[in-house]
C-alpha cells in the first residue's frame, strides 16, 4: 500500500515538489469519496484516504448518485439518485450530518449538485413533477430549507450541472427524458439539450440541440475545462441495433460535435456512457462506458479518440494533478489509477471492507481539509 500512497501523492502534488518539502509541510491527505452499496442492500457515503483507510461511512436513506466535495470545509455532499428526495451534507472529520436537504413539495432531485466556489451555497438540478419542467436551484448552506434562486433549465430531465471557469454561467445537461419515478415516458419525442444559464438571473444564454436523427442521445454527464470546452457522455435510448456516437464536445458559439470511437470500440460501449472527466491539462478527457466494461480517452484539441482501457463495470472518474492520469472506481469494488498514454492501469490496494463495496457512478478526489 505504501507504493500506492507515494504514487497518489505524486499525482496530486507533483513528485519534485513533494520530495523537496519538509515533513511538517507534506500535503494534506488525499481523500476519495463516493456513494457505495454493501451486499446487504444498504446505501453508504464512503470517504477513504489514499491508504484505503476509511475516514467516513455514513448511512444513506436511499441510493445516492453524485458526490461533491466542499471547497473550504471538511464536508461532502451525497445526492440521491433520480427521483431523489435528499442531499446529505456530512462532515468527514467528525462523521456528523451537517444538513439533510429535501426538495420542495412537488419536486425531486436529479442526482447532481455542486457547491458554489465560496462554499456558501449549493446548486442542484430538479424536476417539477406537475409540469415536467427541469429546474435548477441555489440554496444557501446557512439556511438550505428553501431555495434562494430557482430557474428553469429550458428543458426536460436536467442531470449534471457545471459552473463555467469564470463562475458566471451554469451549464446544464438536459437529458430530454420525461420520467415518472424510474419510468421513461417520452422516448419517441425526447429532445435533449445543452443549456447555458446566467447564474444571477437564470437567463438562457445559449442552447444547443443534437440533429433530429440523434434526438435519442440523452445528454447526461459532462465536464468542463479551463477553456470552457465541455466533454459530454451520452446515453442512447433508441434501438439496440443502432450505431450511434456516444461522446460529444461543445465549444461556446458552435454546434455540438459528436465524436466517434472506432467501430469495434463503439459497439463495446453498449450505447451507454456513465461519467466524463477532463485531466488536469484540460486536453485529455476520460469517458466511462460501464456496461461495456470500458473507459475511453479523447484528445479534445484534435477532436479524436485516443485509446481505451478495459475496466469491469468501471464508471466513476476523477482527475489527478498529473496530466493524462485518472482515478476510476468500479461497481465490482475496485479502484484504479489509469495511464491512457501507456495503456496501463494500476489497482489501488483496498482492504476487504472496501473492496467488497459496489461503488456507485461517480467519485470525487480531493485533499483533506481540517
Amino acid at each position: 500500500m505504501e507504493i500506492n500512497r507515494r504514487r497518489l501523492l505524486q499525482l496530486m502534488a507533483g513528485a519534485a515538489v513533494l520530495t523537496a518539502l519538509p515533513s511538517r509541510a507534506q500535503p494534506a491527505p488525499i481523500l476519495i469519496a463516493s456513494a457505495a452499496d454493501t451486499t446487504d442492500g444498504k446505501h453508504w457515503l464512503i470517504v477513504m484516504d489514499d491508504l484505503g483507510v476509511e475516514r467516513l461511512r455514513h448511512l444513506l436513506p436511499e441510493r445516492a448518485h453524485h458526490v461533491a466535495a466542499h471547497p473550504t470545509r471538511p464536508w461532502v455532499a451525497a445526492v440521491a439518485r433520480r427521483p431523489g428526495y435528499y442531499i446529505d451534507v456530512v462532515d468527514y472529520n467528525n462523521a456528523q450530518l451537517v444538513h439533510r436537504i429535501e426538495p420542495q413539495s412537488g419536486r425531486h432531485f436529479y442526482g447532481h449538485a455542486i457547491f458554489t466556489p465560496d462554499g456558501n451555497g449549493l446548486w442542484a438540478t430538479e424536476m417539477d413533477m406537475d409540469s415536467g419542467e427541469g429546474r435548477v436551484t441555489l440554496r444557501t448552506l446557512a439556511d438550505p430549507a428553501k431555495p434562494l434562486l430557482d430557474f428553469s433549465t429550458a428543458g426536460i430531465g436536467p442531470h449534471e450541472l457545471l459552473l463555467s471557469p469564470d463562475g458566471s454561467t451554469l451549464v446544464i445537461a438536459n437529458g430530454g427524458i420525461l420520467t415518472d419515478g424510474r419510468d421513461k415516458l417520452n422516448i419517441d419525442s425526447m429532445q435533449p439539450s445543452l443549456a447555458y444559464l446566467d447564474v444571477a438571473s437564470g437567463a438562457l444564454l445559449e442552447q444547443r440541440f443534437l440533429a433530429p436523427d440523434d434526438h435519442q442521445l440523452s445528454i447526461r454527464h459532462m465536464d468542463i475545462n479551463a477553456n470552457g470546452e465541455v466533454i459530454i457522455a451520452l446515453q442512447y435510448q433508441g434501438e439496440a441495433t443502432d450505431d450511434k456516437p456516444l461522446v460529444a464536445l461543445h465549444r461556446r458559439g458552435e454546434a455540438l460535435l459528436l465524436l466517434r470511437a472506432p467501430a469495434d470500440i463503439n459497439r463495446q460501449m453498449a450505447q451507454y456512457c456513465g461519467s466524463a472527466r477532463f485531466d488536469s491539462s484540460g486536453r485529455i478527457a476520460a469517458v466511462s462506458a460501464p456496461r461495456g466494461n470500458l473507459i475511453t480517452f479523447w484528445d479534445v484539441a484534435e477532436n479524436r479518440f485516443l485509446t481505451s482501457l478495459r475496466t469491469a463495470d468501471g464508471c466513476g472518474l476523477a482527475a489527478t494533478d498529473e496530466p493524462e492520469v485518472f482515478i476510476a472506481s468500479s461497481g465490482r469494488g475496485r479502484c484504479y489509477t489509469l495511464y491512457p498514454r501507456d495503456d496501463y492501469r494500476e489497482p489501488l490496494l483496498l482492504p476487504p471492507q472496501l473492496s467488497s463495496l459496489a461503488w456507485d457512478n461517480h467519485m470525487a478526489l480531493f485533499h483533506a481539509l481540517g
Side-chain angles (χ1 to χ4, degrees):
M1 285 193 182
E2 185 58 28
I3 294 174
N4 283 269
R5 174 178 170 76
R6 286 200 303 270
R7 184 59 181 147
L8 267 180
L9 285 170
Q10 290 168 2
L11 296 177
M12 292 295 287
V17 174
L18 179 63
T19 56
L21 290 172
S23 58
R24 64 179 178 275
Q26 293 292 310
I30 300 158
L31 300 182
I32 298 171
S34 178
D37 293 346
T38 43
T39 54
D40 59 2
K42 292 182 179 178
H43 311 289
W44 303 90
L45 168 60
I46 303 290
V47 179
M48 63 181 178
D49 68 18
D50 51 288
L51 287 174
V53 177
E54 280 189 34
R55 293 282 293 266
L56 173 73
R57 183 176 289 229
H58 169 75
L59 184 63
L60 298 167
E62 299 289 344
R63 182 177 168 185
H65 186 69
H66 177 72
V67 174
H70 194 280
T72 61
R73 296 187 182 216
W75 296 353
V76 285
V79 188
R81 186 175 75 145
R82 170 189 63 86
Y85 295 93
Y86 75 87
I87 301 173
D88 274 9
V89 180
V90 186
D91 188 314
Y92 54 76
N93 281 344
N94 61 23
Q96 295 298 306
L97 178 66
V98 179
H99 296 292
R100 174 161 290 167
I101 302 170
E102 297 178 345
Q104 302 171 84
S105 177
R107 297 281 188 92
H108 70 67
F109 296 125
Y110 251 108
H112 284 266
I114 54 174
F115 289 105
T116 57
D118 62 9
N120 292 328
L122 187 76
W123 291 99
T125 50
E126 303 184 16
M127 175 183 176
D128 184 307
M129 291 184 283
D130 290 330
S131 67
E133 180 185 30
R135 308 293 297 185
V136 58
T137 57
L138 174 66
R139 288 172 169 81
T140 66
L141 292 176
D143 183 15
K146 184 178 179 180
L148 179 67
L149 298 174
D150 188 345
F151 302 144
S152 170
T153 67
I156 290 173
H159 198 58
E160 190 153 17
L161 71 165
L162 306 167
L163 196 62
S164 65
D166 65 2
S168 67
T169 306
L170 282 169
V171 188
I172 309 290
N174 284 312
I177 304 174
L178 182 64
T179 57
D180 181 4
R182 298 292 296 174
D183 295 330
K184 301 172 183 178
L185 307 179
N186 68 330
I187 295 302
D188 290 341
S189 61
M190 60 181 284
Q191 196 173 28
S193 69
L194 188 68
Y196 294 81
L197 308 179
D198 180 85
V199 295
S201 67
L204 181 63
L205 305 175
E206 183 174 349
Q207 188 169 25
R208 295 292 171 174
F209 298 89
L210 295 163
D213 287 348
D214 296 318
H215 79 99
Q216 290 178 316
L217 283 168
S218 184
I219 297 173
R220 309 293 290 172
H221 296 109
M222 55 187 182
D223 197 14
I224 192 167
N225 64 15
N227 296 324
E229 298 170 305
V230 179
I231 190 74
I232 303 166
L234 302 169
Q235 297 175 5
Y236 187 57
Q237 306 297 317
E239 297 295 327
T241 54
D242 290 347
D243 180 24
K244 293 287 186 178
L246 295 165
V247 176
L249 180 65
H250 188 248
R251 300 177 177 95
R252 292 292 298 271
E254 300 180 9
L256 285 166
L257 176 65
L258 290 173
L259 304 179
R260 181 179 285 275
D264 59 331
I265 298 295
N266 201 67
R267 284 192 298 271
Q268 291 177 57
M269 292 169 75
Q271 299 185 328
Y272 183 98
C273 291
S275 186
R277 282 295 174 263
F278 276 110
D279 76 336
S280 60
S281 76
R283 174 168 179 160
I284 306 302
V287 178
S288 61
R291 295 180 182 176
N293 301 314
L294 284 180
I295 296 176
T296 62
F297 301 91
W298 306 78
D299 186 327
V300 300
E302 299 181 359
N303 301 335
R304 68 181 180 91
F305 172 83
L306 282 177
T307 189
S308 65
L309 288 172
R310 292 199 62 80
T311 305
D313 197 19
C315 193
L317 293 169
T320 72
D321 285 350
E322 183 172 313
E324 303 183 28
V325 183
F326 300 86
I327 303 294
S329 61
S330 163
R332 308 282 181 89
R334 307 299 298 274
C335 292
Y336 301 92
T337 306
L338 307 177
Y339 305 89
R341 288 290 185 184
D342 299 324
D343 288 321
Y344 173 68
R345 66 177 195 182
E346 179 183 12
L348 297 181
L349 301 178
L350 301 179
Q353 70 269 21
L354 291 173
S355 60
S356 63
L357 293 171
W359 298 103
D360 222 295
N361 296 60
H362 301 288
M363 68 185 304
L365 186 72
F366 53 97
H367 287 292
L369 298 174

